[in-house]
Amino acid sequence: MQIDLTGKTALVTGSTEGIGYAIARQLAKAGADVVINGRSEEKTAKAGERLKGEGAQGTVTAIAADLATAEGCAALVAKLARVDILVNNAGIFQPSDFFDTPDEVWDRHWQVNVMSAVRLSRAYLPSMEKANWGRVIFIASESGFNIPVEMIHYGVSKTADIAVARGLAKRMAGTGVTVNSVLPGPTLSEGVESMLANEREKTGKSIEEVAADFVKQHRSSSLIRRAASVDEIANIVTYLASPLASATTGASMRVDGGLIDTL
Ligand code: NAD
């Protein structure tokens, strides 16, 4: 199977590190012109430079914009009028018990995890429809199905992502535009590494061991019994972004290590 994205422009939101950066790297290796995004100018520019040195075949552009607000999303769209592939990856996760979680935390998860994707899809889907080709991929989570008790607000935002993706796939019916969501399980990104940093220090174990302990303890239905790597997530996203995935739309694709226990 050969994936060739030459001539396609791909925007990956929140791609200075973690899953987003891995997706950007794979799309770039497959020939896409890739747009990297993060909040700080410096970090975003650095990630763009790094990507150029890691086998990018097409162009690499870095656009800093904070997607937590409507203004930030509009600023990004003002700098980038159209894309062929939109990967709504930017997301935050903050463990916090329901009774200790104020409105602001709910609202921030909603704005970053859901509304950034809504706003960018609204901006970019019309030109994809006109071109009769496009790919929109929402990086949701297994937590959208298995609501995590330690961050209900996060799980709810990811359920919303899955629902928006399904709705948009219906809205784009009959066009060459597909819309899907991808549901990673626990994945060793920089964000998860910093979430596990205390445990790592306490136990002296490697980050992979600490992540596997977390999976066994808090996501005990996992069949792979370890965290995924960021590349394992990027693989499926790259396939979905490609012309090869033309009959897959409206799907919620699991890369969850088998932890969602339904058929
Ligand atoms: P991460 O914290 O390692 O990286 C997050 C990226 O998003 C960074 O590049 C950061 O700069 C960017 N970002 C955060 N807020 C932003 C904002 N307001 N505007 C622009 N960029 C912003 O995260 P990750 O673990 O790689 O997660 C990426 C996505 O995958 C998220 O949507 C997350 O919910 C989802 N996910 C992660 C896991 C996991 O275990 N890592 C599991 C399931 C789903």
Side-chain angles (χ1 to χ4, degrees):
M1 187 159 58
Q2 289 262 321
I3 293 182
D4 182 7
L5 299 176
T6 307
K8 306 285 189 208
T9 300
L11 166 63
V12 186
T13 66
S15 49
T16 56
E17 58 189 16
I19 293 173
Y21 183 80
I23 294 169
R25 182 172 52 205
Q26 288 207 19
L27 296 177
K29 280 185 179 168
D33 295 324
V34 171
V35 182
I36 289 265
N37 156 256
R39 281 160 294 180
S40 103
E41 292 281 354
E42 196 193 335
K43 210 169 162 187
T44 309
K46 245 191 197 155
E49 286 309 312
R50 183 181 158 202
L51 189 61
K52 285 180 195 165
E54 289 195 309
Q57 298 296 306
T59 62
V60 176
T61 309
I63 303 181
D66 184 344
L67 304 181
T69 64
E71 295 74 32
C73 293
L76 172 57
V77 173
K79 290 186 180 154
L80 182 69
R82 56 166 297 281
V83 300
D84 304 292
I85 298 163
L86 168 63
V87 183
N88 288 313
N89 167 80
I92 52 169
F93 37 95
Q94 180 185 335
S96 163
D97 183 67
F98 180 78
F99 294 106
D100 301 326
T101 306
D103 286 4
E104 296 76 56
V105 171
W106 277 89
D107 192 43
R108 189 159 171 77
H109 279 72
W110 187 256
Q111 290 298 324
V112 179
N113 295 2
V114 185
M115 289 312 296
S116 67
V118 166
R119 291 175 179 130
L120 295 177
S121 300
R122 193 165 53 210
Y124 292 124
L125 273 168
S127 57
M128 291 184 195
E129 187 177 13
K130 228 181 239 167
N132 207 30
W133 199 92
R135 298 281 183 267
V136 179
I137 298 158
F138 285 62
I139 307 302
S141 171
E142 53 81 21
S143 296
F145 283 6
N146 283 1
I147 305 296
V149 70
E150 76 281 9
M151 42 182 184
I152 296 171
H153 46 283
Y154 173 73
V156 169
S157 73
K158 292 294 164 176
T159 312
D161 280 335
I162 297 164
V164 176
R166 176 73 194 162
L168 286 176
K170 290 182 180 176
R171 181 66 181 78
M172 289 295 118
T175 72
V177 180
T178 68
V179 187
N180 293 289
S181 54
V182 166
L183 280 52
T187 303
L188 260 182
S189 64
E190 278 85 342
V192 165
E193 280 188 24
S194 62
M195 196 172 90
L196 298 175
N198 278 347
E199 200 54 30
R200 188 183 183 186
E201 208 161 286
K202 231 171 39 197
T203 60
K205 291 182 178 178
S206 72
I207 191 67
E208 286 78 13
E209 286 171 319
V210 172
D213 289 348
F214 172 86
V215 168
K216 284 173 205 152
Q217 197 181 344
H218 298 286
R219 302 287 187 273
S220 59
S221 58
S222 167
L223 303 182
I224 59 172
R225 297 188 182 146
R226 61 169 175 85
S229 71
V230 290
D231 279 325
E232 286 176 305
I233 312 306
N235 290 339
I236 196 161
V237 175
T238 304
Y239 166 72
L240 285 174
S242 78
L244 299 180
S246 45
T248 301
T249 191
S252 44
M253 304 287 284
R254 302 175 187 185
V255 207
D256 64 337
L259 78 77
I260 298 173
D261 196 3
T262 59
L263 295 178

